[in-house]
Amino acid sequence: MSKNVFYVTTPIYYVNDIPHIGNAYTTIIADVVARYHKLKGEKTFFLTGTDENATKVANAAAEAGMHPQEYVDRLAEDFKRVWQSLGIEYDDFIRTTEPRHVKVVEAVFKRLLEQGDIYKGKYEGWYCVPCETFFAENELVEGKCPECGRAVEWVQEENYYFRLSAYSDRLLEHIESHPEFLQPEFRKNEVVSFIKQGLRDVSITRANRGWGIPVPGDPSKVIYVWFDALLNYVSAVGYLADEEKFSSIWPADLQLMGKDIFVRFHCTFWPAMLMALGLELPRVLFGHGWWSIDGEKISKSKGNAISPAKLAEDLAAESGAKRDVCLDAVRYFMCREVTFGADGDFSMASFRNRFNSDLANDLGNLLNRSLSMVRKYFGGKIPRAQACDSELYSTIVQTVDATEAACDSLEFTRALEAVWQMLAAGNKFLNDKQPWSLAKQNKTDELASVLYSALAVTRAAAILISPFMPATAKEIARQLGILDEFASLRWNNAKDQAPFIPETQTFGPEPIFPRLESAAPADRAEVPKVSERISYNEFSKMDLRIAEVKSAEKVPGADKLLKLIVSLGDEERQIVAGIAEWYSPESLVGRKIVLLANLEPAKIRGVESNGMLLAADVDGKAILLQPDQDVPAGAKIR
Ligand code: MSP
């Protein structure tokens, strides 16, 4: 059988603690990728699991006063529960203490020993237990571990070695001839220089202290945990046990991991092991960045770790949204906030802001507005129309293609941005077509077509976001009255031009993401004192207008600034606004804002600004003002 399955893996986690948003990230991304490929109709296999034979796991068990086996059994179940509560749909969960894995590790060890890729030698050197890594003297930083800064131990042992040094040239050749192999590009360069520095053979056994996989024929030693752990990626899919299964799944299409375990382990040691075994190398190894919280490293000792499940529960309690939808908000934030590959920072303020502006506003508003008008004008039944408006339809088609290209190249931020641009286009379409005026003028056919089209955008969005936000996608489908068929829809169904059966009963609208109070409840802003009085005459000098945002983009080199083109009805002008920290450019297009229109022009960072946008100031954060009803651009504010 030949390979016909898209195979994606996460690292297997040390079971010394429960996942926080940092290490849940890899698993969330893997879940998004697996769901995306399934949605495209591909067979997929998504593997995760636990790394149980490590010294640090045995140490954690000792601290908990438990036998290591009892401890890992318990923690592995905890991990499974956490993944389940996060909506992670893996296909298999491998534990490295399982016989199916141990057998493969033993067999590989024997085989590589026989063929000379493993040999016996004396080891003397430094070992970092928390990182489970050997270091040379010159790699230490001030005598400490170069990775984690903790103390290292001097180890003197007779050990078995893996002949890594023999693979340098082949590794470099493979990297060069497979440009997709190591991603992102900037980390590839790190790998190349690491290999070019010269690879040393790796000691792959340790003294047996009662925990780990004993070396076959030499039980005084156990197999080094990384040699054991990396093999999970093949042992879980039938290597040496079920050749048919194995050849339908291996090589992996995408192996995901954090940057800390990318260069040395996954891009050097792992491919060299596969080469020694004569197995194909994975198609892509991707090393993502690390999350910090409020600018600080996530650490057990600081106690700043955030559990994604707890975050979702708190959010559900506060907002009244469903728990699984709140989890989707966490997934959305992590995929949207940071370019995949780069480091990212998690702050409650930016999370809450995205919840309000992207989810409650952009996504929620389009659905709520469309469905409430369907209820008001068509008794809640999908109106009769031939198909989606042709201009809006071409936006949908372009969005599907752009989102697909972005997902294929693992640019999740860009994928979601594309969907949000489509939502903005949907909101703008309603603003432009003014269905409420069509209703007043009894233009029922046109009204039906406008609302049908707006709903078509929400349906397309539901399909495209479903890998990222599965519960939300389902909830949109439920409110649209298409829940039954939704499970059988595929990615390309987002391009259906006549996606609804007219007269289908819709439900709601029920806001999926009820808005949160902008500031966290605990640190609500202080209300500043009202300034000195002015006369009406002074006030009337200000020409305040409603303006519509036509386009928005970042000002290059200025993190906080956006350049907007706004319409005042009969004229368009450019303004610069310091709101980039809180509003993405695409979330603004189509939105009505309040503008001080007669402020004298100024240049901000060299960019001309012809007017000033007004916003509420809450602890230095800008919150835009929006009219309560639809108001034409240019309307005066008095
Ligand atoms: N057991 C090894 C992996 C063996 S794979 C054959 C291991 N486990 S781990 O539990 O320490 O880390 C698992 C993953 O979590 C790694 O990809 C790591 O990069 C990731 N992260 C841990 N903290 C993180 C953040 N703060 N942010 C993002 N990812 C983080 O290493």
Side-chain angles (χ1 to χ4, degrees), residues 11-14 20 22-23 26 51 226 229-230 232-233 257-258 260-261 266 288-291 298:
I12 48 173
Y13 298 90
Y14 290 129
H20 51 66
N23 42 30
T26 327
D51 189 351
W226 271 100
L230 287 162
N232 88 87
Y233 301 131
M257 72 238 42
D260 54 322
I261 56 174
H266 282 88
H288 63 69
W290 267 43
W291 282 89
I298 303 178

Side-chain angles (χ1 to χ4, degrees), residues 7 10 12 47 94 96 101 228-237:
Y7 180 28
T10 72
I12 48 173
L47 176 71
I94 180 105
T96 53
H101 174 74
D228 146 10
L230 287 162
L231 287 168
N232 88 87
Y233 301 131
V234 290
S235 68
V237 292

Side-chain angles (χ1 to χ4, degrees), residues 10-15 17-31 35 46-51 75-94 306-309 323 327 331 334 470:
T10 72
I12 48 173
Y13 298 90
Y14 290 129
V15 284
D17 206 358
I18 249 3
H20 51 66
I21 51 163
N23 42 30
Y25 182 52
T26 327
T27 309
I28 290 173
I29 296 283
D31 189 61
R35 286 175 188 266
F46 165 17
L47 176 71
T48 189
T50 40
D51 189 351
L75 268 280
E77 284 314 306
D78 287 348
F79 263 78
K80 288 184 187 169
R81 249 196 309 278
V82 171
W83 297 143
Q84 199 192 5
S85 77
L86 295 186
I88 305 294
E89 284 185 351
Y90 53 74
D91 294 289
D92 199 354
F93 187 102
I94 180 105
I306 294 180
S307 131
R323 184 189 169 283
L327 258 176
R331 292 169 64 113
M334 301 198 90

